Amino acid sequence: MERSLFLSRPSTDHGALLASPFSAASLTAFRRRRFLPHDSSLKIQNQLHSISSLVLGASSTVRCEASMYKQTVEIIDLDWDNLGFALLPTDYMYMMKCSQNGMFSKGELLRYGPLELSPSSGVLHYGQGLFEGLKAYRKEDGSVLLFRPQENALRMRIGADRMCMPSPTIDQFVDAIRLTVLANKRWVPPTGKGSLYIRPLLIGSGAVLGVSPAPEYTFLVFVSPVGNYFKEGLAPINLIVENEYHRAGPGGTGGVKTIGNYASVLRALKKAKENGYSDVLYLDCIHKKYLEEVSSCNIFVVKNKVISTPEVKGTILPGITRKSIIDVARGQGYQVEERPVSVEELLDADEVFCTGLSMGTKVLGLYLNNFILHLRDYRWAFQRTRWGGQCS
């Protein structure tokens, strides 16, 4: 039985942005290493942005903190209007290592390039690896904004504990992100043309033969300018509901961002794209009737102004954008339910949308276009609705 779902995807504008103050001492130390040019115009500011009320009727606002970096750097010459979601090697990457004592050494910026790994590295044999994904955006005044890097740092630490790996502290993680973004600032797309995708990576780089944790770990950060994740751009995306393959099971690693989770979805995703679908919507592996998530994002269902999303119980990745939407919506007075959501509820939904940083979402800046649901040979169409808000 074939099931498919057309979903709308939010615009790529910026959303609620949070970050903590930048360590000037860290930047000075790296300048002395000649990795970054000294620039007296570099300023680090904290500002409060308010998220405008939802069109559905709320009048209150939620305030969120953002860090902005100003630096006189020319933007690299690219065809920004046709920027897709593919790797474009940039100038620098960040690296630091951790030995068996669990303490990470002082990191450094290096020219972007290949890594040297032992053939018996733990990540190559036993999949001991985690990654994160977040973005930096350029404002019209040239400043650069990061989207909630502390949340990614915390999620990596939770994932590292599950995978029996040491992890950078939140401060180490955030400093590494900022240094990498500043070193590659000329690659941040102009306002409205995309974003700088940031990929932190934690791997078991030490040599191991038997099944055991690696004796050494490497933390890396690299970046790439990106546009829309899906080829459809801002048009609705077409999902197929998968009931044969499953992304994760109870007691497994579906709730953390480990590398193996993504390898397991490749077959279903490849099959879906060969048949003209954008991505796959997975069901739970026990009852095979409750929504879990899409390969690269979380899913929400709206009915009678009640927002519902599958609860996080170890098989679903707790997305940062998902959390942001829930926090802001509740702060605006909306009812948000985290609970089992059956696939049948898609038939009766007023609106359906999905969220995820890779696909270019923004916090509560969702344009819910017409979507058509094919399920059990029935067909529904819903009118275009805007459910939105953005940092002012």
Side-chain angles (χ1 to χ4, degrees), residues 10-188:
S11 76
T12 57
D13 296 340
H14 315 331
L17 306 167
L18 291 91
S20 58
F22 177 68
S23 171
S26 299
L27 181 59
T28 301
F30 278 105
R31 282 198 183 116
R32 288 172 181 166
R33 291 173 155 183
R34 297 181 181 178
F35 286 117
L36 288 176
H38 185 275
D39 191 336
S40 59
S41 68
L42 178 64
K43 297 179 181 179
I44 299 147
Q45 305 174 355
N46 287 321
Q47 292 191 353
L48 292 175
H49 291 253
S50 63
I51 296 179
S52 58
S53 60
L54 298 179
V55 172
L56 295 180
S59 59
S60 60
T61 60
V62 176
R63 297 176 71 81
C64 48
E65 188 178 7
S67 288
M68 301 194 308
Y69 314 103
K70 292 185 177 180
Q71 187 178 25
T72 304
V73 176
E74 290 186 4
I75 300 176
I76 195 165
D77 185 19
L78 286 178
D79 183 6
W80 299 111
D81 291 325
N82 294 295
L83 187 63
F85 199 94
L87 177 66
L88 287 175
T90 54
D91 298 326
Y92 296 99
M93 63 183 184
Y94 181 93
M95 180 187 295
M96 66 177 176
K97 292 184 177 290
C98 175
S99 57
Q100 289 179 321
N101 63 9
M103 302 295 293
F104 280 87
S105 62
K106 189 174 182 180
E108 60 180 348
L109 284 166
L110 304 171
R111 283 288 182 180
Y112 181 85
L115 301 176
E116 182 176 329
L117 281 178
S118 167
S120 57
S121 295
V123 66
L124 301 180
H125 293 261
Y126 305 116
Q128 226 185 352
L130 293 162
F131 71 90
E132 282 293 328
L134 62 159
K135 289 183 175 181
Y137 303 90
R138 187 183 298 276
K139 293 189 67 180
E140 292 181 357
D141 64 0
S143 60
V144 174
L145 300 172
L146 292 175
F147 182 78
R148 309 190 76 174
Q150 300 97 328
E151 293 288 341
N152 294 89
L154 179 60
R155 189 169 66 179
M156 175 169 277
R157 289 183 64 81
I158 293 171
D161 181 69
R162 174 65 178 85
M163 300 299 292
C164 202
M165 305 168 71
S167 179
T169 66
I170 291 178
D171 286 343
Q172 286 176 322
F173 183 100
V174 174
D175 275 352
I177 297 301
R178 288 172 170 157
L179 287 168
T180 309
V181 170
L182 285 173
N184 294 286
K185 188 177 178 182
R186 71 192 188 112
W187 293 89
V188 182

Side-chain angles (χ1 to χ4, degrees), residues 123-370:
V123 66
L124 301 180
H125 293 261
Y126 305 116
Q128 226 185 352
L130 293 162
F131 71 90
E132 282 293 328
L134 62 159
K135 289 183 175 181
Y137 303 90
R138 187 183 298 276
K139 293 189 67 180
E140 292 181 357
D141 64 0
S143 60
V144 174
L145 300 172
L146 292 175
F147 182 78
R148 309 190 76 174
Q150 300 97 328
E151 293 288 341
N152 294 89
L154 179 60
R155 189 169 66 179
M156 175 169 277
R157 289 183 64 81
I158 293 171
D161 181 69
R162 174 65 178 85
M163 300 299 292
C164 202
M165 305 168 71
S167 179
T169 66
I170 291 178
D171 286 343
Q172 286 176 322
F173 183 100
V174 174
D175 275 352
I177 297 301
R178 288 172 170 157
L179 287 168
T180 309
V181 170
L182 285 173
N184 294 286
K185 188 177 178 182
R186 71 192 188 112
W187 293 89
V188 182
T191 305
K193 300 294 186 180
S195 59
L196 187 70
Y197 187 84
I198 308 164
R199 173 57 59 85
L201 180 66
L202 179 64
I203 60 173
S205 52
V208 62
L209 186 60
V211 180
S212 64
E216 179 190 79
Y217 297 87
T218 299
F219 175 70
L220 299 158
V221 181
F222 65 90
V223 298
S224 176
V226 296
N228 289 313
Y229 184 76
F230 292 108
K231 64 180 177 59
E232 292 88 348
L234 300 181
I237 58 174
N238 180 13
L239 300 183
I240 184 168
V241 180
E242 177 60 58
N243 52 21
E244 178 183 359
Y245 297 108
H246 298 282
R247 178 187 169 275
T253 59
V256 299
K257 207 169 176 66
T258 182
I259 57 180
N261 290 348
Y262 296 85
S264 65
V265 306
L266 294 178
R267 183 176 180 84
L269 183 59
K270 180 176 182 289
K271 180 181 176 182
K273 291 190 173 183
E274 287 174 348
N275 286 282
Y277 299 102
S278 307
D279 212 324
V280 178
L281 174 58
Y282 294 93
L283 303 179
D284 75 290
C285 67
I286 297 177
H287 304 95
K288 298 186 178 181
K289 63 174 290 186
Y290 294 108
L291 306 181
E292 293 234 313
E293 62 177 284
V294 183
S295 303
S296 56
C297 48
N298 299 114
I299 190 164
F300 288 77
V301 176
V302 182
K303 178 66 177 179
N304 296 327
K305 297 185 180 180
V306 176
I307 306 166
S308 301
T309 189
E311 59 186 332
V312 175
K313 295 179 62 177
T315 59
I316 297 173
L317 184 70
I320 308 303
T321 313
R322 174 189 182 276
K323 180 179 186 295
S324 302
I325 287 179
I326 292 172
D327 290 345
V328 175
R330 284 175 173 165
Q332 298 268 0
Y334 287 90
Q335 181 179 344
V336 181
E337 298 179 349
E338 297 179 78
R339 60 174 178 81
V341 180
S342 69
V343 67
E344 285 80 9
E345 292 185 54
L346 295 173
L347 304 178
D348 194 40
D350 296 329
E351 302 165 0
V352 180
F353 63 92
C354 48
T355 64
L357 256 294
S358 294
M359 56 182 292
T361 63
K362 69 174 182 177
V363 177
L364 297 184
L366 305 171
Y367 289 82
L368 304 178
N369 301 296
N370 295 340

